[in-house]
Amino acid sequence: MMGNPGKMSQEDSHRLKALFEMATDGIITMSTEGIIENLNFAACALFGYEAEELKGQKVNILMGSYDRTHHDEYLERYHKTQQPRIIGIGREVTGRRKNGEEFPLRLAVSEVNLEQQTIYTGMLHDLTDFKRAQDRVVQLNAELEDKVEERTAALRQREKELQRALGKERELNELKSRFLSMASHEFKTPLSTVLSSVELIELYREEVQQPKREKHIGRIKDAVNQLTDVLNDFLSLSQLEQGQIAVSPRLTDLRAIISTSVESSEGQLKEGQKVILKLAEEPSRIVTDPKLLRHILINLISNAAKYSSPGMEITITSGWQDERCFISVADRGIGIPAEDQTHLFDRFFRARNVENVKGTGLGLNIVNHYLQLLDGKIEFESELSQGSTFTILLPAQKDI
């Protein structure tokens, strides 16, 4: 004979109580006013209270600071609107243990309608381990992203290094090609001159043919000097590339170094060309490497003569500019095309309007390197068919 299904037997009551106590999640029952009526062992352990300490207390004693102060508002709003925020839905909230520690938990509240009253049942699950694991995942992801960024940055840096290396290799190959082209021309022409002049000299054996012999001897000397200049340029470039140029600064008489540089360049002057000096009284002496400065000035004077017509003047000016000593070498020669001026100090570069003038395209590149060693710099102004002015700036002291 079956019992009344509307009533719970004592056995069922014991079974339900056992399930209530054995549940791994915390369970709390409370009145509609939020007063705790009962709670299981897991709930006590979760919050660090004995059951008797919580029974009769408002449930907000177990809530974090924000929810604790707003709990009554939640209940009042639900009673008025029947629109649940937690009841029947569940959400993540902050719990507060007896020792004041706050922790994350998952709260699901059910509304239970009994014969004589309505109660709320809260199911509480501690999310501390889950949050800790979640934070660890976030941390690992961040570390992974950092490593990916580091690896990506390293790969990009490596790519840039490879691009630079490839660029240098291409530049080197281009320089080799330009060097071979230039060298074959610069060596072949004077060597051919030497060979033909020697052959002709052998034919001029009579005394009356002495002027012809002297003419060809002069051609041989010019060709040898040309080859010497080319080799000197190559030697200077090689020494610069290998860092073998030693700088030996000392107190230098500026007028004297300019004068000796002009004298050394006289052999480069064309017929009727002369050098005009417009040197200021100061600075009279500067601390620099006279040998390197002399090489710089000889190169600039030689270029001025080379790219100017016979009879044209070359003007050298010195003085102060922007607290530095300046020396300018100006000519009224063929000038430099505007489109070529950007590359003027590149190795082996020669402007398009100097194809018929002998040269290696190394002179200004070497001058620029020498000036860097002297902590100086070079500037220029040029206009096609009107001439060029090259100005070197060197550190100096007015008190010297």
Side-chain angles (χ1 to χ4, degrees):
M1 185 173 179
M2 296 184 61
N4 187 346
K7 293 184 178 180
M8 182 181 294
S9 68
Q10 187 175 5
E11 183 181 348
D12 290 337
S13 177
H14 289 313
R15 183 180 293 114
L16 183 60
K17 185 177 181 181
L19 291 173
F20 180 78
E21 290 296 342
M22 294 174 61
T24 57
D25 283 338
I27 303 174
I28 296 176
T29 62
M30 68 200 86
S31 68
T32 54
E33 287 76 28
I35 302 299
I36 298 174
E37 296 181 348
N38 206 353
L39 67 162
N40 68 350
F41 177 78
C44 292
L46 184 61
F47 291 98
Y49 286 95
E50 297 293 336
E52 297 305 319
E53 292 181 275
L54 291 175
K55 289 179 180 180
Q57 297 279 356
K58 295 196 70 170
V59 74
N60 64 1
I61 193 177
L62 303 178
M63 297 178 181
S65 56
Y66 180 83
D67 289 330
R68 184 165 61 252
T69 57
H70 293 79
H71 178 255
D72 290 344
E73 297 175 17
Y74 300 157
L75 288 176
E76 184 178 354
R77 181 172 56 246
Y78 176 68
H79 292 153
K80 288 181 178 179
T81 65
Q82 294 297 303
Q83 293 179 354
R85 295 292 181 92
I86 298 179
I87 298 173
I89 298 175
R91 70 173 185 179
E92 183 181 317
V93 297
T94 301
R96 188 173 188 274
R97 295 189 171 97
K98 182 177 180 179
N99 62 7
E101 177 188 357
E102 294 190 352
F103 65 101
L105 58 85
R106 178 72 182 174
L107 171 62
V109 180
S110 300
E111 186 178 21
V112 181
N113 295 308
L114 303 176
E115 291 182 356
Q116 298 182 6
Q117 66 172 337
T118 298
I119 65 171
Y120 298 136
T121 301
M123 302 290 295
L124 306 124
H125 180 74
D126 188 357
L127 295 177
T128 301
D129 290 340
F130 172 78
K131 286 294 183 179
R132 188 178 292 118
Q134 192 177 52
D135 291 342
R136 180 57 178 161
V137 170
V138 171
Q139 180 185 356
L140 290 173
N141 284 336
E143 291 175 357
L144 180 60
E145 288 177 4
D146 289 342
K147 289 181 179 179
V148 169
E149 288 182 4
E150 290 175 4
R151 181 64 60 85
T152 302
L155 290 174
R156 287 175 180 169
Q157 181 63 29
R158 179 59 178 164
E159 183 180 0
K160 288 180 181 179
E161 292 173 357
L162 290 174
Q163 289 290 345
R164 283 196 293 267
L166 181 60
K168 288 182 179 179
E169 185 175 351
R170 288 174 178 170
E171 180 185 2
L172 182 60
N173 289 334
E174 182 181 350
L175 287 174
K176 287 180 180 178
S177 177
R178 290 164 64 182
F179 168 77
L180 291 174
S181 175
M182 180 276 302
S184 63
H185 177 268
E186 292 298 322
F187 280 95
K188 184 176 180 179
T189 301
L191 287 174
S192 297
T193 299
V194 170
L195 181 60
S196 62
S197 293
V198 169
E199 291 174 346
L200 289 172
I201 287 174
E202 290 179 344
L203 298 176
Y204 301 143
R205 298 182 179 182
E206 303 296 330
E207 186 68 28
V208 294
Q209 295 175 317
Q210 180 64 24
K212 293 183 178 180
R213 285 197 293 269
E214 291 177 353
K215 173 185 175 182
H216 286 288
I217 290 172
R219 291 182 65 196
I220 291 173
K221 289 180 178 179
D222 288 342
V224 170
N225 287 333
Q226 182 182 344
L227 287 172
T228 300
D229 290 340
V230 172
L231 290 173
N232 283 337
D233 281 349
F234 290 159
L235 178 61
S236 296
L237 181 63
S238 175
Q239 291 174 332
L240 284 167
E241 290 285 343
Q242 298 176 31
Q244 296 178 347
I245 301 294
V247 181
S248 302
R250 64 174 182 265
L251 194 61
T252 302
D253 187 317
L254 194 60
R255 287 174 170 269
I257 200 71
I258 293 175
S259 296
T260 57
S261 299
V262 171
E263 291 173 4
S264 299
S265 304
E266 287 179 350
Q268 305 290 331
L269 300 180
K270 297 176 183 176
E271 184 179 353
Q273 288 182 339
K274 60 180 179 178
V275 178
I276 307 298
L277 299 180
K278 296 182 179 180
L279 309 181
E281 292 295 329
E282 296 293 337
S284 60
R285 297 184 297 175
I286 62 173
V287 175
T288 189
D289 186 320
K291 181 179 179 181
L292 292 184
L293 180 56
R294 186 169 176 273
H295 281 316
I296 291 168
L297 292 174
I298 289 174
N299 188 289
L300 294 179
I301 296 169
S302 298
N303 280 352
K306 186 188 301 183
Y307 300 120
S308 299
S309 300
M312 287 190 171
E313 294 180 349
I314 298 167
T315 304
I316 300 179
T317 309
S318 70
W320 287 102
Q321 177 180 321
D322 299 329
E323 299 300 319
R324 286 190 165 201
C325 167
F326 79 85
I327 306 172
S328 293
V329 179
D331 65 64
R332 293 182 292 165
I334 61 176
I336 305 162
E339 58 270 27
D340 289 341
Q341 293 183 13
T342 303
H343 304 287
L344 197 58
F345 297 101
D346 293 351
R347 285 176 292 181
F348 302 113
F349 178 81
R350 305 197 72 210
R352 63 197 68 192
N353 61 336
V354 299
E355 293 179 354
N356 296 324
V357 182
K358 298 174 183 178
T360 61
L362 290 174
L364 287 176
N365 178 268
I366 293 171
V367 164
N368 193 35
H369 277 88
Y370 282 168
L371 281 168
Q372 290 175 11
L373 292 174
L374 297 178
D375 193 27
K377 65 178 181 177
I378 185 168
E379 300 173 345
F380 72 93
E381 295 178 353
S382 184
E383 187 176 347
L384 199 60
S385 302
Q386 299 298 314
S388 304
T389 299
F390 285 85
T391 301
I392 63 173
L393 297 167
L394 295 166
Q397 298 177 12
K398 290 184 178 180
D399 297 333
I400 292 178

